[in-house]
């Protein structure tokens, strides 16, 4: 079974990495923030979905404070650097990552292929536990030179709960499908939601997957007291399931690819159901930044969007190279498992493949129409019982992408 790097372990920097030809790039003069995502703080599941959301928010905020005590002090130091060979100014940007998982492969492609530097930015990843934590870390970043792969669902919830301090906006779309699923061994006897009653479920507290699952239980009329939910980080979920320490895990359904490979080695098979199969709406995956960065430094946002969407575009058109780029940077992952997971991501998260993307360019792939944005915000408001009204136009802008 492949071993996965722990959530807090730093990934290699672009400046010190290798190009596809194997040539070493000039080392940029910057330091890296290393963060460790705590998995403590929540030890029980509340009975109501609304109370669950409050608990996860407290968890995520405490996590962000711990990270940014370091990030805020260091990131200003390397705000801008210069490549010694060309003298070209490069802006230092932090990418908060919701876990070192294979569905993040498109965001590592710009590092491997040099897209970030080509667009004038040098990106340092900081690994956290869960998309929600990554999004909130962007909001709390003191420099503002930061982004994450987040979603409109999280933005809607955060904007409703914190209207006076909310400062985030999505600047491009990266996926059309709700990616969250419940994965389990076929031998567990689980077939649908009601079969989860009395079972033990693993999911990282504070993550998007956990938030979605909490709301999902409410929609299905299942009280959290009817099952046991354990706080398990993404890097340990597969081992927990295959070791039968839990009956099911909640994460992006795309993880079923590598999980199936590893389960077969034990004579087991894997099955899953998607939350979207039972009425959960799309989450509106995309690139999230601070509104101030859009207003004051649109050139930096443009660079982030262009590099990231080109990474996604390569991964859609050439999944093999996408998987190889990811593994080249994250050596603890194996190619076969990564490739299988990414093929699943194209179905269960992105919603495009090399054929269906047709003539869309990277920037057209990143466009989302206003009706879709409104629908996601409306559904999120209803599912999470939000009392505050959120204006969809304040959560998303299409100024950095192109309408198909």
């Amino acid at each position: 079974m492949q071993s996965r790097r722990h959530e807090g372990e730093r990934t290699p920097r672009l400046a010190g990495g290798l190009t596809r030809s194997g040539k070493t790039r000039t080392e940029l003069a910057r330091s890296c923030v290393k963060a460790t995502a705590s998995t403590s703080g929540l030890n029980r599941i509340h009975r109501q979905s609304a109370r669950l959301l409050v608990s996860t928010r407290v968890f995520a905020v405490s996590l962000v404070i711990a990270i940014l005590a370091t990030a805020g002090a260091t990131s200003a130091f390397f705000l801008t650097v210069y490549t010694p060979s060309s003298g070209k100014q490069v802006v230092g940007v932090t990418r908060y990552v919701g876990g070192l998982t294979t569905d993040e492969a498109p965001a590592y492609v710009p590092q491997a292929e040099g897209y970030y530097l080509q667009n004038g930015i040098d990106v340092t990843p900081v690994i956290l536990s869960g998309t929600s934590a990554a999004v909130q870390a962007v909001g709390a970043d003191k420099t503002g030179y930061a982004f994450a792969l987040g979603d409109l669902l999280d933005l809607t919830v955060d904007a409703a709960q914190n209207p006076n301090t909310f400062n985030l906006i999505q600047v491009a779309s990266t996926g059309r499908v709700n990616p969250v699923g419940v994965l389990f061994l076929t031998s567990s006897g689980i077939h649908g939601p009601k079969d989860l009653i009395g079972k033990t479920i693993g999911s990282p507290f504070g993550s998007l997957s956990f938030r979605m699952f909490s709301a999902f239980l409410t929609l299905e009329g299942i009280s959290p007291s009817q099952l046991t939910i354990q706080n398990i980080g993404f890097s340990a979920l597969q081992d927990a399931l295959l070791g039968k320490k839990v009956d099911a895990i909640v994460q992006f359904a795309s993880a079923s690819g590598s999980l199936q490979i590893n389960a077969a080695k034990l004579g087991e098979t894997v099955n899953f159901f998607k939350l979207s199969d039972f009425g959960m709406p799309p989450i509106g995956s995309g690139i999230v930044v601070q509104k101030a960065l859009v207003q004051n430094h649109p050139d930096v946002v443009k660079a982030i969007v262009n590099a990231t969407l080109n990474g996604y575009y390569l991964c859609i058109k050439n999944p093999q190279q996408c998987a190889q780029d990811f593994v080249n940077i994250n050596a603890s992952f194996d190619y076969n498992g990564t490739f299988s997971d990414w093929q699943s991501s194209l179905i269960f998260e992105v919603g495009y493949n090399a054929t269906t993307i047709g003539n869309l360019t990277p920037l057209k792939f990143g466009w989302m129409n206003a009706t879709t944005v409104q629908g996601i915000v409306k559904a999120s408001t209803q599912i999470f019982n939000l009392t505050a009204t959120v204006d969809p136009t304040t959560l998303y802008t299409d100024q950095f992408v192109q309408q198909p």
Side-chain angles (χ1 to χ4, degrees):
M1 183 183 306
Q2 62 181 333
S3 95
R4 299 206 173 201
R5 189 173 299 181
H6 290 294
E7 306 290 357
E9 189 172 343
R10 181 189 139 199
T11 53
R13 298 183 310 175
L14 171 59
L18 298 177
T19 64
R20 289 176 60 184
S21 63
K23 297 179 181 179
T24 304
R25 293 193 179 92
T26 305
E27 182 82 13
L28 293 180
R30 70 181 292 181
S31 58
C32 176
V33 178
K34 181 177 180 181
T36 301
S38 166
T39 56
S40 64
L42 290 177
N43 56 12
R44 67 190 178 90
I45 304 302
H46 298 282
R47 293 181 179 274
Q48 299 298 326
S49 175
R51 294 179 63 192
L52 278 164
L53 287 175
V54 173
S55 296
T56 55
R57 175 132 191 115
V58 171
F59 171 83
V61 169
S62 63
L63 178 64
V64 168
I65 291 173
I67 297 162
L68 295 179
T70 300
T74 60
S75 54
F77 175 75
F78 52 76
L79 189 59
T80 57
V81 293
Y82 292 84
T83 54
S85 59
S86 66
K88 181 181 178 181
Q89 185 176 5
V90 176
V91 178
V93 177
T94 300
R95 180 172 76 89
Y96 291 102
V97 186
L100 186 52
T101 53
T102 51
D103 63 281
E104 286 271 349
Y108 285 93
V109 167
Q111 179 176 334
E113 301 290 333
Y115 299 159
Y116 287 139
L117 280 183
Q118 290 169 18
N119 282 273
I121 55 176
D122 176 38
V123 175
T124 296
V126 174
I127 312 298
L128 305 179
S129 183
T131 303
S132 300
V135 168
Q136 292 178 41
V138 172
D141 189 281
K142 293 181 180 180
T143 71
Y145 287 80
F147 73 101
L149 297 180
D151 55 84
L152 286 173
L153 182 146
D154 269 331
L155 297 190
T156 302
V157 174
D158 292 344
Q161 294 179 341
N162 304 281
N164 296 326
T165 59
F166 182 76
N167 64 345
L168 299 173
I169 190 167
Q170 188 175 114
V171 291
S173 170
T174 59
R176 305 187 299 172
V177 183
N178 187 321
V180 182
V182 178
L183 292 71
F184 44 87
L185 299 179
T186 304
S187 60
S188 68
I190 297 173
H191 301 284
K194 300 302 182 183
D195 297 322
L196 299 177
I197 295 175
K199 298 292 196 298
T200 299
I201 316 298
S203 184
F205 290 3
S207 67
L208 168 68
S209 296
F210 180 72
R211 270 185 165 183
M212 291 293 294
F213 186 61
S214 301
F216 170 73
L217 291 178
T218 300
L219 287 180
E220 289 296 316
I222 301 174
S223 168
S225 63
Q226 294 179 276
L227 59 161
T228 300
I229 306 181
Q230 294 185 0
N231 182 17
I232 301 175
F234 286 114
S235 62
L237 282 178
Q238 285 203 17
D239 287 342
L241 181 63
L242 296 178
K244 299 187 177 180
K245 296 177 181 178
V246 296
D247 300 299
I249 57 177
V250 180
Q251 65 176 135
F252 286 7
S254 58
S256 60
S258 60
L259 184 58
Q260 194 74 263
I261 293 174
N262 293 326
K265 299 174 183 177
L266 302 175
E268 296 275 4
T269 57
V270 173
N271 207 341
F272 65 91
F273 59 80
K274 305 187 300 297
L275 302 193
S276 60
D277 294 337
F278 297 88
M280 296 299 283
I283 62 173
S285 301
I287 303 169
V288 176
V289 302
Q290 288 188 15
K291 293 179 180 179
L293 191 63
V294 172
Q295 295 167 356
N296 301 328
H297 302 283
D299 55 327
V300 175
V301 179
K302 181 179 179 180
I304 292 170
V305 170
N306 193 50
T308 304
L309 292 184
N310 271 278
Y312 269 89
Y313 194 74
L314 183 147
C315 285
I316 294 169
K317 301 288 282 188
N318 190 348
Q320 295 87 348
Q321 185 62 49
C322 177
Q324 191 61 60
D325 281 350
F326 180 79
V327 172
N328 286 347
I329 294 173
N330 303 291
S332 61
F333 288 74
D334 69 90
Y335 172 82
N336 289 334
T338 300
F339 178 62
S340 181
D341 279 353
W342 179 244
Q343 285 184 306
S344 298
S345 289
L346 292 174
I347 300 171
F348 303 130
E349 184 176 357
V350 176
Y352 285 106
N353 59 35
T355 301
T356 59
I357 197 167
N359 295 324
L360 288 182
T361 63
L363 293 183
K364 289 181 179 180
F365 158 73
W367 186 82
M368 187 188 311
N369 66 61
T371 301
T372 300
V373 175
Q374 292 168 4
I376 293 171
V377 172
K378 180 179 179 180
S380 300
T381 301
Q382 294 173 342
I383 289 173
F384 290 99
N385 298 314
L386 303 176
T387 56
T389 300
V390 178
D391 181 359
T393 63
T394 65
L395 302 183
Y396 177 83
T397 177
D398 60 7
Q399 73 180 85
F400 301 100
V401 294
Q402 297 174 354
Q403 183 174 351

